[in-house]
Amino acid sequence: MNTIGDYLKSGSIDIALLLSLTLKQSNTQLYTQSNYRLSTRETDRLTKLTQQREQGIPFAYLSGEKGFYHLNFKVTSDTLIPRPETELLIDIVLELFDQKYPYKILDMGTGSGIIAITLADINPRWKVSATDFSQAALDVAKTNTTAQVSFFQGNWFEAINDQTFDLIVSNPPYIKENDSYLDGLIHEPQTALVSGEDGLNDIRVIIDNTPEYLNKGGYLLLEHGFDQQAKIVNLLNKKFHNIKTFKDYNGNDRAVLAQIK
Ligand code: GLN
């Protein structure tokens, strides 16, 4: 049997993370106990995880969780793995929306629930709802809930009947069909990623329908692809004003906020 130190030197992908997961030890503990020899059971478990990781299964699906903002979220193959870029949407809401006012906020296509739950957890005054067309994703989101969030199943606006909101926020699918970038994402739900030839099919549906579901002076906040901002601003111009654009922390265009005219 090999020791922790042997494995750490192996160069196998994410080996320190996989050792931590197998042995339920922190990274620091691994390095201070590098002479520890794994038992047969631990070795079998680690071998299985290493093989899965080498086949391309993302680490978050092996550990079953991913951190986002200040919380840890359960994730399964029914939900997209939270991306750090999406934290930008939370920062925008926290900076621009009054924390004292009981805004009604809707997160459309919530997946594991990250946007809705993070906002509700930070500010219990906000009345937060979330939708997803995938019941399996909603089931995961419900287990992640740390605060009051109302969940509705359905495709975009079909989920919410005639409710209206002060802010509708979404990280919709926005990758182009056949984009080679998708080759690296085969283990994640494609319906959460891909949106037609130009990646804008779902964003068009959202922009076209949002005005009916916004309260007077309400806002739409969207995450989008690095090369889609100009097109989205164009789509918004007819019915929205006070359009603000944002870059993510890698310097890529990543979000748009717009107020209903
Ligand atoms: N930002 C994600 C990625 O780059 C895509 C998520 C999405 O389409 N909403 O993998």
Side-chain angles (χ1 to χ4, degrees):
M1 289 305 146
N2 289 325
T3 64
I4 289 177
D6 296 331
Y7 284 109
L8 287 173
K9 276 183 273 174
S10 71
S12 185
I13 181 167
D14 284 343
I15 188 64
L17 291 170
L18 295 171
L19 275 165
S20 290
L21 187 61
T22 305
L23 302 172
K24 300 189 175 59
Q25 305 258 324
S26 70
N27 205 41
T28 317
Q29 284 170 322
L30 292 182
Y31 283 90
T32 52
Q33 299 170 46
S34 63
N35 291 327
Y36 173 79
R37 209 165 279 283
L38 275 68
S39 70
T40 312
R41 256 181 97 177
E42 289 163 346
T43 303
D44 290 348
R45 171 98 184 110
L46 180 64
T47 305
K48 182 153 182 248
L49 287 169
T50 310
Q51 284 167 352
Q52 289 175 307
R53 187 68 195 92
E54 273 168 4
Q55 284 157 12
I57 299 179
F59 179 75
Y61 287 151
L62 299 177
S63 67
E65 59 182 28
K66 178 80 183 177
F68 178 83
Y69 228 82
H70 64 304
L71 297 171
N72 219 9
F73 288 83
K74 177 184 164 190
V75 292
T76 72
S77 53
D78 288 309
T79 65
L80 200 68
I81 298 167
R83 307 287 203 265
E85 303 90 277
T86 305
E87 296 185 337
L88 173 65
L89 300 182
I90 307 295
D91 287 336
I92 294 168
V93 177
L94 293 181
E95 191 169 322
L96 299 178
F97 289 82
D98 190 339
Q99 303 246 9
K100 293 192 281 298
Y101 190 82
Y103 286 116
K104 271 188 80 186
I105 301 177
L106 174 67
D107 171 19
M108 293 215 300
T110 195
S112 60
I114 53 169
I115 298 172
I117 294 167
T118 302
L119 291 175
D121 190 82
I122 291 174
N123 190 349
R125 284 206 181 100
W126 288 337
K127 306 272 171 271
V128 182
S129 301
T131 73
D132 209 285
F133 82 96
S134 159
Q135 186 58 49
L138 282 180
D139 290 343
V140 173
K142 284 178 193 166
T143 70
N144 280 326
T145 308
T146 57
Q148 180 62 44
V149 175
S150 307
F151 292 98
F152 302 96
Q153 191 271 328
N155 198 22
W156 301 129
F157 297 91
E158 286 160 27
I160 52 165
N161 296 322
D162 51 4
Q163 303 177 68
T164 57
F165 300 88
D166 301 304
L167 168 65
I168 294 178
V169 52
S170 185
N171 171 21
Y174 56 68
I175 299 171
K176 297 181 186 77
E177 270 168 20
N178 308 318
D179 191 324
S180 60
Y181 176 65
L182 292 165
D183 298 349
L185 305 177
I186 52 168
H187 294 279
E188 295 190 80
Q190 299 299 294
T191 49
L193 292 165
V194 188
S195 190
E197 242 173 75
D198 62 355
L200 290 170
N201 279 7
D202 290 287
I203 287 181
R204 273 188 288 267
V205 171
I206 294 171
I207 291 177
D208 285 350
N209 291 282
T210 289
E212 257 183 77
Y213 298 90
L214 280 181
N215 292 331
K216 191 163 182 286
Y219 288 86
L220 172 63
L221 174 60
L222 289 174
E223 180 174 323
H224 60 72
F226 69 95
D227 55 356
Q228 296 173 327
Q229 202 162 67
K231 281 189 197 147
I232 292 171
V233 169
N234 225 2
L235 292 169
L236 286 164
N237 267 328
K238 207 159 78 189
K239 294 199 177 143
F240 293 84
H241 65 163
N242 294 334
I243 298 172
K244 286 196 174 72
T245 57
F246 301 87
K247 286 186 193 298
D248 65 23
Y249 304 106
N250 291 318
N252 291 318
D253 290 340
R254 186 62 65 196
V256 173
L257 176 71
Q259 186 175 29
I260 190 82
K261 277 183 185 164

